[in-house]
Amino acid sequence: QCSTSTSQSAEEWKPALGMTFEGLEAVEAFYKSFAHRVGFGVRVGQQKVVDNVIESKRYMCSSQGFRSEKGKRNVKAANKKRKREVTRCGCDAHIYVKRCSGNTYKIHSMIEQHNHGFVPPDKLHLIRSNRGASEKEKVIPECDEALRPSIGMAFEGLSSAEEFYKSYACHCGFKVRVGQHKLLNKEVVQFKRFMCSREGFRSDKGKDPSNERKKRNVKVTRCGCNAHIVVKWCSGNTYNVSSLIEHHNHGLVSPDKVIKSKRRVSEKAKNKLSSSLAPECDEALKPSVGMVFEDIGSVEEFYKSYAHHCGFSVRVGQRKLLNNEVVQWKRFMCSREGFRSDKCMGVDDPSRKRKVRKVTRCGCDARIIVKRCTDNKYKITSWIEHHNHGFVPPDKCHLIRSNRQLSDKVKPTVSTHCKASSGTSQANKPDHVSEGRSDNVGCTKRDLQKYHHDLCSKIKNEDAQIFVAQLCRKQQEDSAFFFDCDVDDQGMLVHVFWADATSRKNYIYFGDILTFDSTNTMNQHGMIFAPFTGTNHHLQSVLFGAAFLADEKIESYAWLFQTFLRAMGGVSPKTIVTRENDRMKAAISNVLPATSHRLCMLEMLERMPEKVEPSLRNNPLFQTRMNECVLGSETVFEFESKWESIISDFGLQGNQWLAERYSTRERWILAYSRDTHLSGIIRSTAWSKSAKSFFNCFINQKLSLAEFWLRFESALECQRQEESNADHTSAYATPQLITSWGLEKHGSVVFTHEVFERFQEEIVAARDHRVVEDMAQTEGVKTVAIGGDDSDKVREVRWDAVTMTANCSCKLFESVGISCRHINLVLRSSKLNELPSSCVLKRWQKSAKFG
């Protein structure tokens, strides 16, 4: 039975019967805006078209209808397909509009009620129909209002309409293509479309790489832009604008690049360059002997402006200082003055790789010299106008080095790309798009890299102070932000730890088991980055806190663990997983005596090939048997038997490293810790690939602490957005069920989707491969022997119907926190349709962060 929900929205935002709109775009925009406020997605439904005019159309809730059953059931395991989430539930909410007259549409029928809940306000951005381009991304051309087209505008003939729209495009900065048209009686054009040249996309025709015919590569110029006008015939030779989309989805270029100007060849280009060339420019821009300036900055600005108009670059030359402060005279010259020395151009050592420098200097003498006057002004005392080389044409002047500079608009993009860990080389790409042409950006990729390098050099000596100041500022803004640091006698930073409010809150829910990794080195200071991480209810890596350490002494680790405990309210984790390190072990035993200290099993297996004979490193039999021994042993006896067999069969009795690992086997072999809380998830969480990739985006030996912080904050925000996305999916989508068991359905309700997939595997295995071999009952406790495993092992399950508790000899629930296939079979045979609370850990539930 479906529940009925209605929206709680202002009356003016609700649709109503009889409501009219100017065009279908207005209808769709209105209904999507209403849906966004309420909390549901919108799909566009059926429409009726008569004579190329849409007479009626339907807009409905995205949960309308049901998915077809085609392809849902896949019997063969080999045909693995991604499971689609169930998002449709037969909701009937919709509006149905009909055309009245012209371009006016009226709501003819509607259903307001939904049979499902709504998305909360903080998750509205995840609704699919709300993920379109924002208003900020729409490019509205700027031009005089008198030049803009509008609905109803009339033209005498199609040529007038085309000429008008092309003139408008020229002023705005885009090109026009002529689109479809319809003829009436094969003579009169009934309607015609004029659109942006970047409308649509190129077809894939002719892109087959196997085609041996060589064709010129066509540049990609179309990007699906919708900007256009449609004109319709009225009477006689008159046409009216019936449809208009003004905004573009791309940058607009300057008008002088839209119109193809006539290509004229000057007399200078037709003849060979003479040995002496005088620049051509307005006389008012030329320097002259005796010209006076207020200061040296004005001189440099003037000469660079003159050089820009002429087409050459400027270098600042020699100067003379008076009392090491006041400039007595200074020289500004053409950048091609002089010649490079052989030392700069040659390579003394052939083995040394060195970039070959281009020859840019040719002994040009063009320059000005200014001297200081008695009134502290500067006057041109010498000027050589002629050059011995050609000039840069006007359309390439933006590439002249002395003309390039980073504007206040471009500089913040360097910081933005540092946050995104994309590097400064990518920072100028968005500026090229936003400005529409490269000469409007004012700088090149190399200029951005140099700016970034100079900025890092400036803050190098104050790097630690800037980093600590950032942490202090965060603490002032948020009292729940925790950080502490320590300095040595010279004032150098040696320890620092921080954890924000979200990290500390996550520790409350998921801090029963954590991993501590101190294998990451970064930055110029050689400090060790040491994060505390765990696993959330979506089996994702989650950060609890992070630190920098100057060394790996016992005292440093002890300070860090004590600071971590203070940040987390004195609550110790049940289990901590680390790499093998004696100093770390001593610090943990002193500071966290009640915590179970485990070593990373996967790290041991990764190091093992380096510690055995070369002949065994690529031996598949050795690797298979060792993996079965370490990962597949369920009991202590089973592990020790397999280990002794491997050592004997492969002649490893003298291997010291394996002998030492065997002596510490209780700390890293799972068979010794199956009763330890959640010890089974260690193999999948400790230094997993996802956690490593998360840290690698902001761990770099070349990074400063200040740069690290920019990248760290951005990466942490992305990690938390992934958790938010998973929360949204688990809350508003239903996973596909495989069996008819009530236990499976109950698991899909309480568990997150990621945990449910693991639980579902156990349900299917219980249905298909488990066999009850024996059963006994004593004083309300049922003991069931279950077989059917591939290993021919018999599992014993004890089920207490009074206390509603179950345990199995396989220890899966104790080590992973998910009821095993054997327990599920016993619960099914006991006619239970829901999992008892003792079999559902709070940390794996959708509501793990509530209550």
Side-chain angles (χ1 to χ4, degrees), residues 49-68:
V49 180
V50 178
D51 295 332
N52 291 324
V53 177
I54 298 175
E55 292 293 333
S56 62
K57 199 165 188 176
R58 190 166 176 259
Y59 301 90
M60 55 202 176
C61 173
S62 60
S63 293
Q64 182 267 353
F66 298 93
R67 295 275 185 196
S68 65

Side-chain angles (χ1 to χ4, degrees), residues 519-545:
T519 60
N520 302 295
T521 59
M522 63 81 61
N523 74 28
Q524 309 103 345
H525 314 292
M527 299 186 77
I528 301 166
F529 177 64
F532 293 86
T533 59
T535 303
N536 65 8
H537 52 321
H538 298 291
L539 302 179
Q540 297 170 333
S541 178
V542 61
L543 186 75
F544 298 140

Side-chain angles (χ1 to χ4, degrees), residues 85-110:
E85 307 292 351
V86 179
T87 56
R88 302 191 185 180
C89 58
C91 181
D92 290 327
H94 73 276
I95 63 170
Y96 183 71
V97 295
K98 283 190 174 183
R99 190 170 73 93
C100 301
S101 60
N103 197 37
T104 303
Y105 290 82
K106 181 171 65 175
I107 296 180
H108 184 262
S109 68
M110 61 172 286

Side-chain angles (χ1 to χ4, degrees), residues 22-149:
E22 286 297 319
L24 287 172
E25 290 181 356
V27 180
E28 183 173 348
F30 168 81
Y31 198 54
K32 284 187 175 179
S33 176
F34 167 72
H36 178 74
R37 286 174 169 262
V38 175
F40 66 93
V42 173
R43 286 209 331 270
V44 179
Q46 305 90 338
Q47 64 181 21
K48 181 180 179 181
V49 180
V50 178
D51 295 332
N52 291 324
V53 177
I54 298 175
E55 292 293 333
S56 62
K57 199 165 188 176
R58 190 166 176 259
Y59 301 90
M60 55 202 176
C61 173
S62 60
S63 293
Q64 182 267 353
F66 298 93
R67 295 275 185 196
S68 65
E69 295 294 326
K70 182 180 179 181
K72 276 192 175 182
R73 296 181 180 179
N74 189 3
V75 180
K76 294 185 178 180
N79 297 329
K80 293 183 178 180
K81 296 177 68 177
R82 181 177 67 87
K83 296 179 180 178
R84 299 193 66 174
E85 307 292 351
V86 179
T87 56
R88 302 191 185 180
C89 58
C91 181
D92 290 327
H94 73 276
I95 63 170
Y96 183 71
V97 295
K98 283 190 174 183
R99 190 170 73 93
C100 301
S101 60
N103 197 37
T104 303
Y105 290 82
K106 181 171 65 175
I107 296 180
H108 184 262
S109 68
M110 61 172 286
I111 295 179
E112 186 181 9
Q113 289 78 18
H114 298 253
N115 67 345
H116 56 85
F118 300 111
V119 177
D122 60 334
K123 296 292 192 300
L124 291 177
H125 64 284
L126 298 173
I127 297 176
R128 185 170 185 178
S129 59
N130 293 338
R131 298 177 194 166
S134 64
E135 291 299 320
K136 294 181 180 179
E137 296 172 329
K138 294 181 178 179
V139 180
I140 305 295
E142 295 180 3
C143 73
D144 191 349
E145 290 298 324
L147 297 175
R148 291 183 184 275

